Structure formats: C-alpha cells, structure tokens
Amino acid sequence: MAVLLVGGVLSGCGPGPTLAAATAELRKDTQRLETDRFFKNPLTKLRIVERPDKDLPCDKGKFQRVLHATADYGSKPSDVDGRLDLAQRLMENTLSQALHYTVTYDFTQVDWEDARLIEGRKDVPGITVKVILVPESPTWRLVAKTDCLPRS
C-alpha cells in the first residue's frame, strides 16, 4: 500500500508544462480557428498574421510562442455598440466552445462604446489569449501566447 501511495505522489510531481506541449496546442488552436464555420467564411477576412512557429526567448532557457490573427465581423451598421456586443459574444463563444479557453468576463465593458477586451486561458498547457474588438476593420485582433516555458 505504501508503494502505491509513494508512486502516486511521485507521478503527480511531473516536470510541468513544456513549450512543445503548449506549441502543439496553439497550432491546434490556429487550425481550429481557420476551420471554424464562421471564420472560414471569406467575408470575415481571417488573416493569420503570425503563426506560432518561432521560439521567442523570454527568460533564461525559456521560450514562448505567439499567434497573431485578425478578422472582420462584416458590414458596419449604424449601431456601433450593438455591433460590438454581437462581435464580443461571437468571439467569447468561439474561444470557449471551439478553442476550449476559459474566458474571463469583465461586465464593466458593457458601457464601452469604442472597444472591448476578451481574455481567455488554458492553464494546461499554459496559453493566454487576448482579443481586442474595435468598431473599425479588422474587428478582432487576437494575440495568443504560451507561457514562458522550457522547451522540454
């Protein structure tokens, strides 16, 4: 019984997340975004500005990867606040349901008329996403970053 207990404790003390695991997940997120039924429509003008292909040094022996993307919500109606509300809900749903991020909600933004900010997190393997929504094109400006992690 003691051997099982010690083995169980030791197996729970792994080395933690690695850049390789976080990068693999971020690449999946890129593919999920590109194949999402809304974002694959040419009218959204999804553009992957930077793919998570380069190690960016962030600490001694640690690196991170970054995904930058932009997309447009479509025509601009006269109700800018309503447009931002709809674009915000769509992106929150995409992040939580299609990309599996835990989205944090900031209800103080409801009164913002010129921009919105959405943040999401995947604790395992360690990725944070931030999306800025603005009334002008491109509507969404997405930046997803891995944590500062060792390569392996």
Side-chain angles (χ1 to χ4, degrees):
M1 180 82 153
V3 172
L4 289 175
L5 183 59
V6 171
V9 170
L10 289 177
S11 66
C13 297
T18 64
L19 183 64
T23 298
E25 184 65 21
L26 196 52
R27 285 183 177 149
K28 286 180 193 174
D29 290 346
T30 306
Q31 184 179 24
R32 289 178 189 125
L33 191 62
E34 290 173 317
T35 59
D36 180 82
R37 69 179 175 87
F38 181 81
F39 287 98
K40 71 180 180 182
N41 182 332
L43 296 176
T44 62
K45 301 176 189 165
L46 175 66
R47 185 171 157 239
I48 306 298
V49 178
E50 181 178 359
R51 292 187 178 274
D53 295 335
K54 292 183 253 174
D55 288 348
L56 304 171
C58 55
D59 198 3
K60 186 176 181 179
K62 293 184 178 182
F63 302 87
Q64 66 182 172
R65 296 282 181 107
V66 177
L67 163 67
H68 284 205
T70 63
D72 205 16
Y73 186 59
S75 64
K76 297 175 179 77
S78 58
D79 179 17
V80 173
D81 195 42
R83 179 175 191 257
L84 285 175
D85 288 343
L86 292 171
Q88 180 178 354
R89 279 194 297 278
L90 178 67
M91 182 55 73
E92 288 170 345
N93 288 335
T94 299
L95 289 176
S96 64
Q97 296 172 10
L99 302 178
H100 313 294
Y101 283 86
T102 301
V103 176
T104 55
Y105 297 95
D106 180 357
F107 295 107
T108 64
Q109 297 185 84
V110 173
D111 297 331
W112 295 4
E113 294 181 11
D114 55 349
R116 306 283 168 81
L117 176 65
I118 302 170
E119 295 185 25
R121 177 84 179 142
K122 287 184 186 180
D123 286 328
V124 177
I127 302 171
T128 301
V129 63
K130 294 184 181 190
V131 182
I132 297 172
L133 286 89
V134 293
E136 65 273 359
S137 185
T139 309
W140 295 289
R141 293 139 194 223
L142 181 145
V143 177
K145 293 181 181 183
T146 66
D147 292 345
C148 192
L149 298 167
R151 283 193 173 125
S152 56

